[in-house]
Amino acid sequence: MQYLWKRKKAFLKELLADFPEPKPAKTTIATLLKRIADKGFIDYKLFGKSRQYYPLIKKRIISQIM
């Protein structure tokens, strides 16, 4: 979520590029994005076969909960 909040909108490859070395597997990031999308924290727009993800919740709301 931190990387997505920072970018506001991002494709999977952009998020993967933000991770430090050693980078996680592409499938790992894809699974995490699917799970947090299923929970309603993020959503995406389709561009052909690619998905551009964007957060549905603000970072401030999460920090208040925790």
Side-chain angles (χ1 to χ4, degrees):
M1 283 297 298
Q2 298 295 331
Y3 296 116
L4 194 53
W5 279 321
K6 183 178 176 183
R7 284 190 172 262
K8 310 250 190 302
K9 293 181 181 178
F11 291 96
L12 174 62
K13 65 180 178 178
E14 295 171 331
L15 291 172
L16 190 57
D18 289 343
F19 278 86
E21 293 292 337
K23 296 189 183 297
K26 184 178 178 180
T27 54
T28 301
I29 302 303
T31 300
L32 290 173
L33 290 169
K34 181 185 180 325
R35 288 181 180 176
I36 59 178
D38 289 347
K39 291 181 181 189
F41 296 131
I42 65 171
D43 204 358
Y44 59 86
K45 291 181 184 178
L46 284 174
F47 291 90
K49 292 184 179 182
S50 299
R51 296 176 180 180
Q52 184 182 44
Y53 295 92
Y54 57 92
L56 293 175
I57 60 171
K58 295 182 180 180
K59 186 175 183 179
R60 184 173 53 175
I61 293 171
I62 293 297
S63 61
Q64 290 175 353
I65 293 171
M66 303 185 113

